[in-house]
Amino acid sequence: MSDTVFLRTAGPGDASALVAVIGAAFEQYRGQLVPEPGAFRETTGTIGRELAAGTGAIIAEQGEDALGCVMLKPVDGDLYFGRLAVTPSARGRGIARRLVKAVEDEAIRRGLAGVRLGVRIALTENQRLFTSLGFVETSREAHPGFDHPTSINMRKALSADRIDHHAPHPTQPVRPEPL
């Protein structure tokens, strides 16, 4: 099998692969986060309906294997992303960073001002990753039924002069960077 990891735009036909990647990536949080992540309620039907309704997705693949994914949609002049997921066996290869970069490139391509995400307060490692990528905390909020914040909203401002015109579009291959 080739070591090449391809990032491409996912479509409704990819719903089952997206659900499998999300499920595998989020399984480590089962019983660990309160409230339980909504990722556990994702099905091929829910993801397929989101994609058909205009929510975007990018999938990372190596050969026939789906290794990672991210869902995205425009929100208030920015591109929001969620369900950033990398399968446990593919972690440590820079796939999450490449998926976030692809989201940023897509936001710039669409002429949007920034990229947003939400991360659980309990997931400090994820917060560190996003901070290292230039995201800053904008607010905290409580999930329904909670009287204290459970998640952090983060944003990264983008500017058109940051476009890497030589960077591959998500439908072009991205070779793994040497460690």
Side-chain angles (χ1 to χ4, degrees):
M1 174 185 350
S2 168
D3 287 342
T4 303
V5 174
F6 290 89
L7 299 184
R8 66 173 176 83
T9 302
D14 295 307
S16 61
L18 295 170
V19 169
V21 168
I22 292 167
F26 280 77
E27 185 59 33
Q28 73 185 68
Y29 303 124
R30 191 173 298 280
Q32 303 299 312
L33 294 175
V34 178
E36 184 174 84
F40 295 139
R41 294 184 295 280
E42 297 291 16
T43 65
T44 301
T46 60
I47 294 288
R49 284 189 293 278
E50 284 185 54
L51 294 171
T55 295
I58 300 170
I59 191 166
E61 299 174 313
Q62 183 177 20
E64 298 294 316
D65 297 328
L67 305 178
C69 67
V70 63
M71 306 290 290
L72 48 109
K73 63 183 174 185
V75 173
D76 298 329
D78 287 338
L79 195 57
Y80 174 87
F81 72 87
R83 302 291 191 259
L84 176 63
V86 176
T87 59
S89 63
R91 291 183 183 153
R93 296 173 55 188
I95 294 171
R97 287 177 184 271
R98 282 185 259 160
L99 286 166
V100 172
K101 175 74 167 85
V103 171
E104 292 173 7
D105 290 345
E106 178 63 15
I108 290 170
R109 188 188 71 73
R110 293 182 186 196
L112 300 173
V115 177
R116 299 178 190 211
L117 65 97
V119 61
R120 293 292 186 100
I121 288 174
L123 301 180
T124 56
E125 186 175 319
N126 293 4
Q127 293 168 39
R128 282 192 294 276
L129 168 66
F130 297 129
T131 299
S132 77
L133 295 174
F135 288 82
V136 296
E137 181 177 333
T138 58
S139 63
R140 292 180 179 223
E141 62 184 43
H143 282 82
F146 288 79
D147 62 359
H148 59 278
T150 54
S151 67
I152 297 171
N153 296 309
M154 301 182 85
R155 182 177 188 273
K156 180 177 182 177
L158 302 173
S159 61
D161 63 328
R162 294 183 49 222
I163 295 176
D164 177 356
H165 294 282
H166 302 289
H169 184 272
T171 59
Q172 295 177 331
V174 177
R175 300 210 182 268
E177 298 170 11
L179 299 177

